[in-house]
């Protein structure tokens, strides 16, 4: 449909206006990550939107390399929290995908577990804060407090609704003829699922897994409650980059924030076609 | 290609069960769904029973007795009486509702406006679309930190204001109760407007073209077509988009807690922050269990009603 020129002008003006505002926070953090300490807190006329003397010192600092002009030495570097985030998010995603995919297939093909859709929607609706007391007691009892596998387990459960619903809509879309043909050939149901259905679903599995990984990687509250020291994740560790002694270590926090923010943004853009399906539990597919 | 499916809400399971009703299928279905069922039981049944039990006691992890002996501190329904009379709880509830009442409509209308701009093709659409989505993919805790930096009194927000005001502006955003709430709301709107946009655009694109074309031929104006054809057909997806944001806004924690810690005072204390503080700082877990249970029951009822209604709207 052809639109008038004035509408086209309005469209670009509105979109760019929105983007200009919307990108300020991201750009500010990006620029802060490369600023030397002298430019962190400069304000008024000295405020620098773009680092005058760009440096990698902030990144060196959070990984424990001294030689920057920061006087304080970090008690704990960012390496371990990054590992904690990676391990817990990855294994949480594996748990969610394994349980969610199997259940989605069971429901989609054999009608098993008819209670799961509603149960999982409710699991998604409940605020994590409202079940954390028993979870903290259970995790303490099982020795899972402050471990990456304890975090992975709760992440897997919390994000299973997403993997289940995503995979269910993908299985529902998959024609049964191919599977039926293999059944006629004499394959067992198990073999059909493992050797024929799952390989066909590889793209769907990949985008669902990325979606779930982003959710796990983004958690803050659960890690705040279930980790104390050894396995704190990036967002929890971030808070330790300020103290009454050092004040806010703006640049260091920004550098860490950048490290935390980049993977999900890249993954999210890679799977943007499936985002709507994932977020609306498959009520809308794109 | 977008298509709206109307059959994905609960109870649509097993449409072709009859075709595959053999013993092998039943067995396989059972084993496939078992892990998910066990995980749901593990995270729902046991914790909720434990929560009911603890909520009837005055137990705290500092008491030195294990949780299962909490009956020694049995206080019956006293926690629930306290809850009904806890001004801090109700003010946190009220504040959470205010945040919701501001964030959700603003996100909705901004998202709807953007979706209208993106519904047909134009140069650069793909790149601009991806760029708009960036905020919603940023880790919320990191987003909280971004806005913490922006709203410092020597930060860029005041810098931009100074530029327009022509004189130095040094507003202490995060230490003034009203402004702090405003700043946290801005961060929420920033992060989640893209989500509204994403869902509403997908819903808008899925409205069938034929009726719109007919309306064009009949000479209907754009506004008329939008309000009489497009919007009514987006009803379900609008409800879903708003429901998602209402649910998420009710849970809001990360960006608020990082920007202000709930303060100054309790000025930005949402319900999740309130529960977190009672859990971690005051450590009265019996009371926390009562709060949590009250919220769980309320949400279960509300969500069950909402899902029922939504299914009614789809049919």
């Amino acid at each position: 449909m052809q639109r008038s020129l004035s509408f086209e002008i309005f469209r670009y003006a509105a979109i760019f206006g929105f983007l200009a505002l919307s990108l300020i926070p991201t750009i500010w953090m990006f620029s802060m990550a490369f600023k030397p300490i002298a430019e962190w807190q400069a304000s008024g006329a000295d405020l620098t939107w773009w680092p005058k003397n760009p440096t990698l010192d902030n990144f060196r600092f959070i990984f424990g390399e001294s030689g920057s002009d920061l006087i304080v030495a970090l008690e704990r570097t960012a390496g371990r929290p990054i590992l904690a985030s990676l391990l817990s998010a990855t294994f949480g995603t594996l748990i969610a995908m394994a349980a969610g995919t199997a259940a989605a297939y069971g429901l989609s093909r054999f009608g098993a577990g008819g209670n799961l859709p509603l149960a999982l929607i409710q699991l998604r609706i409940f605020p994590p804060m409202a079940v954390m007391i028993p979870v903290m007691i259970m995790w303490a009892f099982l020795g899972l407090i402050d471990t990456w596998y304890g975090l992975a387990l709760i992440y897997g459960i919390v994000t299973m609704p997403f993997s289940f619903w995503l995979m269910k809509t993908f299985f529902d879309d998959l024609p049964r003829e191919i599977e039926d043909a293999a059944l006629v050939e004499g394959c067992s149901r198990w073999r059909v699922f493992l050797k024929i259905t799952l390989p066909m679903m590889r793209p769907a599995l990949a985008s669902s897994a990325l979606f779930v990984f982003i959710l796990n990687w983004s958690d803050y509250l659960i890690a705040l409650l279930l980790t104390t020291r050894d396995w704190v994740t990036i967002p929890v560790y971030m808070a330790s980059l300020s103290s009454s002694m050092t004040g806010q270590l703006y640049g260091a926090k920004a550098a860490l924030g950048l490290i935390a923010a980049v993977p999900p943004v890249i993954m999210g853009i890679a799977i943007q076609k499936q985002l709507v399906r994932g977020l609306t539990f498959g009520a809308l597919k794109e | 290609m977008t298509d709206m499916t109307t059959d994905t809400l609960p109870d649509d399971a097993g449409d072709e069960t009859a075709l595959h009703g053999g013993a092998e299928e039943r067995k396989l279905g059972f084993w496939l769904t078992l892990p998910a069922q066990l995980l749901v039981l593990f995270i729902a049944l046991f914790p909720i029973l434990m929560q009911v039990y603890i909520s009837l006691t005055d137990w705290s992890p500092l008491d030195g007795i294990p949780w299962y002996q909490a009956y020694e501190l049995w206080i019956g329904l006293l926690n629930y009486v306290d809850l009904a009379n806890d001004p801090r709880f109700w003010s946190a509830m009220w504040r959470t509702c205010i945040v919701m009442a501001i964030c959700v409509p603003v996100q909705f209308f901004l998202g709807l406006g953007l979706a209208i701009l993106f519904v047909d093709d134009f140069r650069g659409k793909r790149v601009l679309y991806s760029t708009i989505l960036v905020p919603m993919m940023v880790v919320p805790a990191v987003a909280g930190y971004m806005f913490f930096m922006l709203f410092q009194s020597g930060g860029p927000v005041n810098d931009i204001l100074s530029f327009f005001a022509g004189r130095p502006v040094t507003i202490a955003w995060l230490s003034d109760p009203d402004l702090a709430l405003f700043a946290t709301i801005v961060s929420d709107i920033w992060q989640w407007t893209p989500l509204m946009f994403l869902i509403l655009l997908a819903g808008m694109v899925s409205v069938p073209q034929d009726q719109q074309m007919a309306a064009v031929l009949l000479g209907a104006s754009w506004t008329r077509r939008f309000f009489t054809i497009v919007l009514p057909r987006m009803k379900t997806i609008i409800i879903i988009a708003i429901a998602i944001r209402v649910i998420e806004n009710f849970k809001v924690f990360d960006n608020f807690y990082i920007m202000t810690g709930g303060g100054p005072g309790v000025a930005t204390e949402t319900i999740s922050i309130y529960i977190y503080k009672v859990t971690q700082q005051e450590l009265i877990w019996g009371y926390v269990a009562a709060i949590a249970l009250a919220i769980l029951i309320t949400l279960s009822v509300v969500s069950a009603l909402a899902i029922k209604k939504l299914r009614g709207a789809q049919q």
Side-chain angles (χ1 to χ4, degrees):
Chain A
M1 222 179 303
Q2 204 59 44
R3 292 285 181 84
S4 64
L5 179 66
S6 57
F7 178 79
E8 291 298 332
I9 293 172
F10 169 74
R11 163 148 59 200
Y12 283 108
I15 293 174
F16 280 107
F18 180 85
L19 276 180
L21 281 175
S22 157
L23 287 177
I24 286 177
T26 321
I27 290 173
W28 183 260
M29 187 177 76
F30 186 85
S31 129
M32 185 66 93
F34 296 96
K35 282 182 191 173
I37 191 165
E39 292 176 43
W40 286 2
Q41 299 219 56
S43 61
D46 296 329
L47 185 128
T48 46
W49 277 88
W50 208 243
K52 286 176 188 137
N53 304 300
T55 166
L56 288 175
D57 276 358
N58 295 322
F59 294 91
R60 291 200 191 98
F61 173 70
I62 56 173
F63 287 107
E65 207 178 301
S66 53
S68 61
D69 47 359
L70 286 158
I71 315 125
V72 285
L74 277 176
E75 192 200 337
R76 306 167 62 74
T77 63
R80 181 103 179 197
I82 292 174
L83 180 69
S85 279
L86 273 176
L87 278 176
S88 56
T90 307
F91 282 88
T93 305
L94 285 178
I95 295 172
M97 286 304 295
T101 306
Y105 191 71
L107 178 63
S108 179
R109 285 295 182 273
F110 315 120
N115 64 314
L116 279 174
L118 188 63
L120 290 176
I121 284 191
Q122 296 216 313
L123 189 59
R124 152 124 179 70
I125 289 174
F126 294 153
M129 204 56 239
V131 284
M132 278 326 269
I133 291 281
V135 167
M136 284 161 84
I137 296 173
M138 284 160 70
W139 258 237
F141 178 75
L142 298 169
L144 294 175
I145 297 278
D146 205 18
T147 61
W148 64 266
Y149 41 88
L151 264 191
L153 177 60
I154 186 90
Y155 285 173
I157 299 174
V158 168
T159 50
M160 191 174 58
F162 291 93
S163 62
F164 170 81
W165 274 93
L166 265 165
M167 290 313 295
K168 180 181 173 304
T169 65
F170 285 120
F171 284 130
D172 289 348
D173 288 352
L174 186 74
R176 288 156 199 242
E177 284 73 26
I178 308 166
E179 291 173 302
D180 288 345
L183 279 176
V184 173
E185 300 275 308
C187 285
S188 74
R189 274 282 175 193
W190 273 112
R191 269 189 73 86
V192 173
F193 177 55
L194 295 175
K195 298 281 173 195
I196 295 178
T197 315
L198 280 185
M200 274 195 300
M201 298 297 275
R202 234 179 254 144
L205 285 165
S207 47
S208 307
L210 285 179
F211 186 88
V212 169
F213 182 90
I214 296 175
L215 294 173
N216 288 335
W217 180 264
S218 301
D219 165 70
Y220 172 58
L221 178 56
I222 296 175
L224 192 61
L225 289 164
L226 293 182
T227 59
T228 49
R229 190 189 148 83
D230 289 342
W231 292 101
V232 296
T233 58
I234 299 174
V236 182
Y237 169 76
M238 211 166 175
S240 72
L241 289 176
S242 63
S243 69
S244 50
M245 239 173 63
T246 58
Q248 286 285 342
L249 300 173
Y250 289 97
K253 274 193 175 179
L256 186 63
L258 201 60
I259 294 173
V262 166
V265 169
I266 292 173
M267 290 175 186
I269 288 175
I271 55 159
Q272 54 175 277
K273 283 226 158 76
Q274 312 299 346
L275 282 179
V276 173
R277 191 194 282 247
L279 291 163
T280 62
F281 274 14
L284 196 66
K285 298 168 191 168
E286 200 177 5
Chain B
M1 209 12 230
T2 315
D3 87 295
M4 177 107 71
T5 52
T6 51
D7 63 344
T8 42
L9 280 166
D11 281 0
D12 64 325
D15 34 348
E16 284 184 39
T17 329
L19 283 178
H20 304 291
E24 192 199 352
E25 277 76 17
R26 261 201 309 276
K27 212 172 100 192
L28 183 56
F30 170 79
W31 286 109
L32 283 171
T33 44
L34 186 66
Q37 298 279 24
L38 288 179
L39 286 177
V40 169
L41 273 187
F42 178 66
I43 209 65
L45 185 71
F46 188 55
I48 284 173
L49 289 179
M50 188 196 261
Q51 191 123 299
V52 172
Y53 170 55
I54 294 174
S55 78
L56 299 171
T57 71
D58 200 17
W59 184 72
S60 149
L62 298 182
D63 287 338
I65 54 173
W67 67 273
Y68 44 83
Q69 283 172 18
Y71 59 82
E72 289 170 19
L73 301 162
W74 192 266
I75 54 169
L77 291 173
L78 209 60
N79 278 326
Y80 293 92
V81 177
D82 285 349
L83 179 64
N85 299 310
D86 179 352
R88 203 168 142 204
F89 167 77
W90 291 108
S91 89
M93 262 311 198
W94 175 238
R95 200 169 297 108
T96 310
C97 292
I98 291 177
V99 169
M100 217 186 274
I102 298 174
C103 288
V104 177
V106 173
Q107 288 160 356
F108 174 76
F109 286 110
L110 280 176
L112 189 68
L114 279 173
I116 292 170
L117 296 177
F118 271 83
V119 79
D120 44 22
D121 283 326
F122 60 94
R123 275 177 70 94
K125 176 175 172 175
R126 286 178 56 105
V127 176
L128 292 173
Y129 176 80
S130 299
T131 318
I132 283 184
L133 297 187
V134 166
M136 66 178 274
M137 296 162 199
V138 172
V139 178
V142 173
Y145 175 62
M146 285 179 177
F147 279 83
F148 173 82
M149 281 194 291
L150 289 179
F151 282 107
Q152 293 301 302
S153 55
V157 170
N158 280 342
D159 189 53
I160 295 172
L161 291 177
S162 309
F163 175 78
F164 285 110
R167 62 187 167 76
V169 176
T170 52
I171 303 170
W173 291 93
L174 298 178
S175 40
D176 176 282
D178 294 333
L179 294 179
L181 191 61
F182 173 79
T184 47
I185 287 174
V186 167
S187 79
D188 196 83
I189 293 172
W190 172 82
Q191 181 148 42
W192 299 115
T193 296
L195 184 140
M196 282 280 196
F197 159 73
L198 177 77
I199 297 177
L200 293 174
L201 178 60
M204 212 178 275
V205 172
S206 72
V207 173
Q209 286 290 314
D210 44 351
Q211 274 185 314
Q212 293 200 65
M213 287 301 180
V216 173
L217 293 177
L218 291 172
S221 68
W222 181 88
T223 21
R224 210 175 144 156
R225 287 198 320 265
F226 182 74
F227 285 105
T228 58
I229 300 177
V230 180
L231 264 193
R233 267 146 216 278
M234 289 174 63
K235 190 174 156 199
T236 310
I237 204 63
I238 287 175
I239 296 174
I240 292 175
I242 290 178
I244 291 175
R245 281 317 304 154
V246 165
I247 293 166
E248 293 299 318
N249 246 304
F250 186 77
K251 303 183 199 175
V252 71
F253 180 85
D254 300 7
N255 48 345
F256 278 58
Y257 189 70
I258 288 184
M259 284 175 75
T260 63
V266 293
T268 55
E269 194 173 274
T270 61
I271 194 69
S272 285
I273 295 181
Y274 171 65
I275 302 179
Y276 175 77
K277 282 186 172 169
V278 183
T279 307
Q280 290 296 73
Q281 292 163 13
E282 290 156 48
L283 287 159
I284 24 182
W285 285 16
Y287 187 48
V288 178
I291 305 175
L293 210 57
I295 290 176
L296 279 183
I297 292 168
T298 316
L299 280 181
S300 303
V301 174
V302 171
S303 65
L305 285 176
I307 289 170
K308 206 172 154 196
K309 193 134 191 223
L310 190 60
R311 232 188 296 154
Q314 280 188 330
Q315 273 147 19

